[in-house]
């Protein structure tokens, strides 16, 4: 292969990468504009409870028990209920995939300025080497995983103005904790 051909191929690869970034940014802008139209004040505990109830039979089929401990005084949050459903669904899917015959707990409490939610399991846990990379796009150490679930969760939670983190011990389980700021607006259904 000549130097000129190599240079041309490098230029093509570079241009393809640049175009991929542009397409991704355009997609993200489109989605964020559409998502803004679906944002409103809502009660997170309702979404969490409904999603957990829908997911409970899936966990039970694998012998995994699900418990809910949601405070009754949680303030409203502002965002998309559908996006929060996606977060809870992704977290329960991950917990269930790694906790066959165990326990998964979902809890939520009021904090100063918002709410804190966590999904805790007593499953296989995450290796210490992989733990710093769990929120990276396409990062996974599970043959069944795509590496998008926690990446999407992080994008959604940060879009709400919240934070997300993960604690895990190999062989003991995992705890995903996220916060959402409360909403100043009234809920109008």
């Amino acid at each position: 292969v000549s130097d000129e051909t190599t240079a041309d191929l490098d230029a093509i690869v570079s241009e393809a990468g640049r175009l991929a970034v542009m397409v991704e940014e355009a997609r993200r802008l489109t989605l964020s504009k559409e998502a803004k139209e679906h944002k409103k004040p809502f009660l997170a505990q309702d979404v969490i409870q409904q999603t957990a109830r829908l997911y409970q039979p899936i966990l039970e089929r694998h012998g995994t028990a699900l418990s809910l401990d949601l405070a009754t005084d949680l303030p409203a949050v502002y965002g998309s209920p559908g996006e929060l459903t996606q977060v809870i669904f992704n977290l329960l899917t991950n917990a269930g995939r790694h906790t066959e015959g165990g326990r998964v707990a979902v809890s939520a409490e009021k904090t100063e300025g918002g709410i804190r939610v966590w999904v805790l399991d007593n499953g296989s846990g995450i290796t210490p080497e992989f733990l710093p990379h769990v929120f990276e796009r396409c990062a996974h150490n599970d043959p069944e995983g795509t590496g998008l679930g926690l990446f999407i969760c992080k994008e959604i939670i940060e879009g709400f103005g919240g934070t997300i983190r993960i604690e895990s011990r190999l062989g003991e389980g995992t705890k995903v904790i996220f916060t959402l700021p409360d909403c100043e607006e009234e809920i109008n259904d």
Side-chain angles (χ1 to χ4, degrees):
V1 178
S2 72
D3 289 340
E4 188 176 326
T5 303
T6 301
D8 288 345
L9 290 173
D10 287 343
I12 291 168
V13 168
S14 176
E15 186 64 16
R18 190 182 71 74
L19 289 172
V21 169
M22 287 175 50
V23 168
E24 177 62 25
E25 194 56 36
R27 185 188 68 79
R28 182 175 293 182
L29 285 172
T30 301
L31 290 175
S32 69
K33 286 178 185 173
E34 290 171 6
K36 284 180 187 171
E37 295 172 8
H38 300 289
K39 290 187 176 185
K40 63 180 183 177
F42 70 97
L43 295 175
Q45 70 261 29
D46 292 347
V47 171
I48 295 167
Q49 190 167 43
Q50 290 168 1
T51 307
R53 282 189 179 148
L54 288 172
Y55 206 85
Q56 189 168 11
I58 296 168
L59 292 171
E60 287 175 349
R61 269 184 283 181
H62 297 283
T64 301
L66 175 65
S67 65
L68 288 176
D69 182 17
L70 309 177
T72 57
D73 63 343
L74 297 178
V77 298
Y78 183 80
S80 164
E83 288 181 338
L84 184 58
T85 298
Q86 183 67 55
V87 168
I88 300 301
F89 185 84
N90 287 356
L91 296 179
L92 289 173
T93 298
N94 284 350
R97 189 178 292 144
H98 301 285
T99 314
E100 195 157 327
R103 292 184 322 276
V104 174
V106 180
S107 302
E109 66 184 8
K110 184 177 179 177
T111 64
E112 188 173 322
I115 65 171
R116 180 181 303 117
V117 180
W118 59 96
V119 178
L120 171 70
D121 67 62
N122 67 344
S124 57
I126 300 169
T127 64
E129 301 81 31
F130 184 65
L131 195 57
H133 306 285
V134 295
F135 292 112
E136 294 173 9
R137 175 185 232 146
C138 299
H140 65 89
N141 63 352
D142 178 351
E144 295 178 29
T146 63
L148 292 175
L150 288 174
F151 172 79
I152 290 169
C153 289
K154 184 175 190 288
E155 291 280 311
I156 291 171
I157 295 301
E158 289 177 351
F160 272 79
T163 62
I164 186 167
R165 63 187 173 87
I166 195 163
E167 300 169 359
S168 187
R169 290 183 186 247
L170 196 58
E172 295 181 22
T174 301
K175 183 177 187 179
V176 180
I177 306 111
F178 65 87
T179 62
L180 299 173
D182 63 7
C183 176
E184 302 293 325
E185 297 180 44
E186 294 293 318
I187 296 177
N188 298 317
D189 281 332

